[in-house]
């Protein structure tokens, strides 16, 4: 009841961000961070130790993933590994923009070891082996609409997000650029190395983390389940990638073709996909591109689930309002009802015997 | 005794990174993250919600600092706020490259709330209001020599660093580029906002974090003490900045001039500066530029301490080997003896009544 009141108060912006805390103290057995994967490139020429501004023959270590992990006392055997989406870093799973617990704390409090990743060429994993031209281009509103918060400057009436200015600013500040071009294989390779260190667990992906997440699941035996939050794409076997649907969004939903070997591996891993609220299905484009972006992805998800099931896969596509969890934007893990979303994930993990 | 053996084993590379852990479990009362400071820029023109690829009138939130904080049960009143150096992020204070506790864990275990910062335009605080051209330039060896680990590929005989390849690779992977030009004032402004959130505490800076750290101390009443680990520069009053000393390093040591108001404020804050091993003093340039880079900085530190004392400031410059802590590179907080360095910091804080 207290929680319910809190959420109500929050949604009207009555409370400051610092008013929130972990629901109960957590005893950490250990915590730390590391880099995984990556590669070393060497400049041409011969290294000269007495010429500091001559880079001939010097090396660059780049394209690794950064991971911050925490292990609570009496941790469950399955870890939870979190891979963010576009424009985000591991921050996406930490404190929400309005100062509540994010999934990092929520699952730690539930007894899981958590591994929070910055993918290669993002955040603290900024060292890239390829150059990048960062333009400092203002585009907050593009993402606001695309993330289904509302149509700028409006918020969808039912959106489970705080309405105060400070929370919105925190949300925008957490965007962070690519320090090298996004490369699905680079991310998947590093994530496979992350799973090597993390041990057996459930891989939780968000949005653009979905694509490399499927490949990671295919390549690492330590991925025992996948929870994909509004993934941007889905893995299909050869010759079964659906035609790209027309959309008013500038980001069409394209399925990804994976090798037979990868696809066979994916069939053995239980997977659940969650979508939030305000997404239509069907073939009629939504006049607002920010919504239509998700219509075509939900359609693709449903086609993917059919293909997976035909081949014997264990997948579910769950649209949260269909099970009574309402108002979610694209940022399910940070919305006001993120505790409910987390509980639903635990329900699924329990069903798959992964909550241990 | 066990610890001593461990360090010895490590320095010969006998143990894998995963063999280390926090020295004892820690109960967290709370933890989270936030952005502080920053500014909003707006593109010219009028925003059009139905034109997603037209950025006219859109905003960019950038130049904020990112902070991850942890509060142990029964935390001391003074927090510790950590600002990294050049090419680094908050990672610099986390797990060491060879998998031991960094200062984040060490001070948490000692009962301090910790605030680990990524400065604006670095790491998870990647959104910059100015553009940047990232070149992916191999230059590991430049920093290796400049960080006084050795003369590549050699390690100084007495250096308190692990000798195994994996640790060295972890060290190189944690370098991360500027996503916008380094700007001392931008960092100091964001850090002042960080201190606003962190509350009263001790500001710990490293290397290039030193410059903005002095300004933060001058601008925030919450900075009750400064611990500067091999800072790159020092704050002088007008007309008292020393002449720049000749050096074989490509990075001359230049004092920074601060306003009378800032300088007066700095005189009221206890400050200690630590330097590691293998640094000569005196006026004779070292033939190796990587060592000479620190001779001129230690000389500048000593000149600064004199000026501060003349004006009534409370400062100490401590060269660690002079007090029996030997072998430190530029990365005092990550070297094999970082527990000793931390204990020395606590001794100083105790002297200044800041260890409470």
């Amino acid at each position: 009841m207290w929680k319910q009141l809190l959420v109500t108060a929050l949604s009207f912006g009555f409370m400051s961000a610092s008013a929130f805390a972990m629901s109960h103290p957590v005893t950490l057995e250990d915590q730390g961070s590391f880099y995984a994967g990556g590669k070393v490139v060497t400049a041409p020429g011969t290294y000269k130790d007495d010429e500091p501004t001559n880079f001939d023959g010097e090396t660059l270590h780049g394209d690794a993933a950064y991971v911050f992990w925490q292990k609570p006392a009496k941790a469950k055997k399955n870890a939870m590994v979190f891979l963010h989406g576009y424009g985000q870093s591991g921050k996406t799973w930490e404190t929400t923009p309005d100062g509540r617990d994010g999934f990092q704390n929520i699952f730690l409090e539930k007894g899981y070891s958590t591994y929070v990743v910055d993918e290669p060429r993002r955040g603290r994993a900024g060292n890239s082996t390829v150059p990048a031209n960062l333009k400092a281009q203002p585009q907050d509103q593009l993402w606001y609409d695309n993330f289904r918060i509302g149509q700028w400057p409006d918020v969808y009436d039912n959106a489970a997000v705080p309405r105060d200015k400070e929370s919105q600013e925190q949300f925008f500040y957490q965007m962070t650029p690519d320090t090298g071009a996004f490369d699905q294989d680079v991310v998947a390779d590093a994530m496979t190395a992350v799973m090597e260190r993390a041990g057996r667990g459930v891989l939780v992906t968000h949005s653009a983390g979905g694509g490399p997440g499927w490949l990671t699941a295919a390549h690492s035996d330590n991925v025992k389940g996948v929870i994909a939050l509004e993934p941007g794409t889905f893995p299909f076997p050869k010759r079964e990638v659906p035609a790209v649907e027309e959309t008013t969004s500038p980001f069409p939903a394209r399925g990804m073709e994976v090798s037979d070997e990868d696809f066979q591996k994916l069939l053995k891993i239980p997977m659940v996909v969650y979508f939030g609220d305000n997404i239509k299905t069907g073939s009629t484009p939504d006049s607002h591109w920010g919504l239509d972006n998700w219509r075509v992805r939900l359609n693709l998800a449903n086609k993917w689930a059919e293909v997976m099931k035909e081949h014997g896969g264990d997948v579910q596509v769950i649209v949260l309002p269909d099970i009574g969890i309402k108002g979610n934007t694209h940022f399910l893990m940070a919305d006001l009802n993120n505790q409910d979303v987390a509980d639903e994930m635990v329900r699924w993990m329990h069903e798959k015997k992964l909550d241990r």
Side-chain angles (χ1 to χ4, degrees), chain A:
Chain A
M1 183 57 189
W2 182 80
K3 259 193 187 165
Q4 195 62 42
L5 283 173
L6 202 61
V7 168
T8 307
L10 235 189
S11 64
F12 291 95
F14 290 150
M15 303 187 72
S16 82
S18 54
F20 302 95
M22 264 165 39
S23 64
H24 60 83
V26 169
T27 298
L28 289 181
E29 188 181 306
D30 205 358
Q31 70 175 8
S33 62
F34 60 87
Y35 289 82
K39 70 172 181 177
V40 182
V41 295
T42 306
T46 303
Y47 175 66
K48 294 194 178 64
D49 191 66
D50 56 349
E51 295 182 18
T53 55
N54 170 359
F55 299 130
D56 288 356
E58 300 210 21
T59 59
L60 165 69
H61 287 64
D63 297 353
Y66 162 83
V67 186
F68 182 76
W69 59 272
Q70 297 185 298
K71 184 181 183 184
K74 296 177 193 153
K76 291 171 190 279
K77 210 166 55 184
N78 287 302
M80 297 192 70
V81 181
F82 295 94
L83 177 60
H84 59 78
Y86 177 83
Q88 299 286 309
S89 67
K91 163 64 188 171
T92 216
W93 309 103
E94 297 175 353
T95 307
T96 65
D98 54 348
R100 290 169 297 109
D101 275 351
F103 278 6
Q104 179 184 50
N105 282 5
I106 289 173
F107 284 96
L108 192 70
E109 289 170 54
K110 289 179 189 293
Y112 293 89
S113 291
T114 60
Y115 288 73
V116 175
V117 176
D118 288 2
E119 70 183 20
R121 307 178 183 175
R122 193 78 61 76
R124 290 176 171 180
N127 249 12
S128 161
T129 62
V130 296
N133 196 357
L134 276 57
K135 294 179 178 162
Q137 173 62 55
Q139 49 178 245
D140 287 338
Q141 286 66 26
L142 170 70
W143 299 112
Y144 183 93
D145 276 39
N146 194 52
F147 293 159
R148 250 177 29 257
I149 299 163
Q151 288 182 237
W152 181 265
D154 298 326
V155 181
Y156 293 127
D157 285 343
N158 68 345
V161 296
R163 260 64 174 177
D164 64 295
K165 185 158 178 278
E166 191 193 333
S167 299
Q168 189 176 83
E169 299 217 314
Q170 286 285 325
F171 181 77
F172 284 138
Y173 278 121
Q174 80 183 43
M175 301 278 306
T176 192
D178 286 326
T179 55
F182 175 81
D183 182 320
Q184 191 155 276
D185 292 321
V186 166
V187 178
D189 287 350
M191 285 302 297
T192 303
V194 168
M195 293 305 308
E196 201 62 36
R197 281 283 294 263
R200 56 176 296 152
V202 174
L203 176 60
V204 183
T205 66
H206 180 230
S207 198
W214 306 123
L215 293 179
T216 305
H219 298 165
S220 171
D221 288 335
N222 280 337
V223 178
K224 301 303 181 188
V226 177
I227 298 175
L229 308 177
E230 299 202 355
T233 186
F234 296 87
F236 289 87
K238 278 178 190 161
R239 292 171 300 278
E240 296 191 46
V241 181
V244 178
E245 206 176 344
E246 262 190 68
T247 174
T248 56
S249 164
F251 310 111
R254 301 176 199 280
M256 58 191 265
E257 187 180 283
V258 297
S259 70
D260 291 339
E261 193 186 342
D262 285 353
F263 190 74
Q264 288 303 318
K265 177 77 189 309
L266 291 174
L267 294 175
K268 294 176 189 137
I269 304 169
M271 298 173 168
V272 63
V273 175
Y274 292 107
F275 280 88
D277 212 334
N278 295 320
I279 307 174
K280 287 181 196 162
T281 50
S283 58
T284 310
D286 197 300
S287 62
H288 182 55
W289 70 269
L291 293 177
D292 206 51
N293 185 69
W294 300 103
R295 179 187 64 84
V296 291
R297 277 173 179 73
L298 179 51
N299 284 342
L300 186 63
N302 287 326
K303 287 174 196 162
W304 168 75
E306 271 174 47
V307 170
M308 290 292 284
K309 283 173 192 166
E310 271 168 27
H311 288 275
D314 174 8
V315 307
Q316 295 173 51
V317 174
I318 296 176
V319 181
L320 290 174
D322 293 349
I323 58 168
I325 300 176
K326 293 179 192 291
N328 285 101
T329 70
H330 182 50
F331 278 67
L332 317 174
M333 71 291 245
D335 289 334
L336 293 173
N337 58 3
N338 65 346
Q339 291 273 2
D340 296 339
V341 177
D343 288 344
E344 161 56 25
M345 287 162 57
V346 170
R347 183 205 60 74
W348 178 83
M349 289 195 288
H350 182 72
E351 193 180 296
K352 302 303 173 190
K353 301 189 168 55
L354 294 168
D355 63 333
R356 44 192 76 177

